[in-house]
Amino acid sequence: MVDDLPQHARERLSDMRARKLFTSDLSVSEFLLVKEAGFDPLGLVMGSSIYQITPNIPQLPANAPGCELVDMTKALYHARELAMNRLEEEADALGADGIVGVRLTVKLGRPPAKQQWDFYREWQDWARGVGFPRSSTMLGQNWQYWPNVAQDMWVHYCGQLGWHPVPPPPWARARTQTAYGLGQNVAEFRAIGCAVRHRDGENYRNVHGKPFQSDLSGQDFWTLIRTGYRPVGFVMGNCVYYVPPHLLQAVPTESVELAAYTHALYDARELATERLQDEAEALQATGIVGVTFAEREHSYTFAPWNAGNAALMNGEIIELFVVGTAVIPTGRAGDLAQPFLVLSANDEAATEQTE
């Protein structure tokens, strides 16, 4: 059951089950509403998969429309599926009926050339900001040698200010935002949620005998249960589509629809949604709630001298990803209080405008 989980994961789950100690990423409000719905949190569960995804750009005839990259679609789906399966295995090991508040995220590795280019531009901004001539930072095709020039400038600058010893330059310091050096075409897929079990022992597992998964918040989960529905699974669909460069081009002086580009992404969304619905039907669901779409550009050929416009030369590889929570009726609808208007006195947007 837990053969695919690392040793420390098995130990953590075993300790939680033995000590009846739970951990949770639910907020206080979510925690109380999940309890009110009749479920007890058992523990934080997670799953991950680090996956190498190699894009294969098709050689399309001139003026051909875009097409799905089937192998890449399957690879990205499989990576997420592995993470979700491990999340499910952890919940199963805790004896859970389901998982609420599921978050499925992806961290993409950055191409080394792109990362160096960003550092190079960061150094250029710093050097010009402190008074170095603009011409001294324009390295052209020799931009790869910028670290040597930058170090000399930094040592000179620190000497003028009397800094001894010389501290690390700004572009070499720790980033304020976490970065993952996973390597080119490598991504980490992570699934996290809170495992729960029904307090009265009712069976809330899906038709496959596995804990249900849901990305609904604690508040939405409570509302769903109170209105006579329950989740049976977290469902997803995706489609990776290649858009050739000629579909992205238009006459610069005209405002027109890029019809071929529109239909390419339209087709990709339809394929992703169809696969989402297929998963829900496999769980014998009657509907899907909380559906969200995400669009991500996964890879392109990076050229420093054409940064920001590479798609016009090489085309785009875009993934359309759609997720939601599949549900079925329970036949036990409760009464909800009549909603009423509330005017918040501590709205953040209003606070910012008055400051």
Side-chain angles (χ1 to χ4, degrees), residues 150-225:
Q151 183 64 23
D152 291 341
M153 280 189 178
W154 178 248
V155 171
H156 176 74
Y157 176 76
C158 292
Q160 287 183 322
L161 297 179
W163 292 353
H164 299 288
V166 176
W171 52 88
R173 294 172 188 166
R175 305 286 98 181
T176 56
Q177 183 177 3
T178 303
Y180 290 80
L182 300 172
Q184 190 168 4
N185 298 328
V186 177
E188 181 188 18
F189 298 83
R190 296 179 298 174
I192 301 175
C194 181
V196 297
R197 183 168 55 207
H198 194 267
R199 191 174 305 118
D200 296 331
E202 291 187 37
N203 181 21
Y204 274 80
R205 294 197 165 203
N206 60 34
V207 294
H208 305 301
K210 298 293 185 180
F212 70 80
Q213 302 165 355
S214 168
D215 61 344
L216 299 178
S217 67
Q219 292 90 334
D220 287 342
F221 177 72
W222 174 83
T223 304
L224 188 73
I225 296 296

Side-chain angles (χ1 to χ4, degrees), residues 115-130:
Q115 190 171 33
Q116 282 301 310
W117 177 259
D118 290 343
F119 289 150
Y120 169 58
R121 296 304 297 271
E122 184 178 344
W123 160 68
Q124 284 183 321
D125 292 341
W126 169 84
R128 296 165 188 172
V130 298

Side-chain angles (χ1 to χ4, degrees), residues 17 42 173 214 251 325:
R17 193 161 188 176
L42 299 180
R173 294 172 188 166
S214 168
V251 179
T325 294

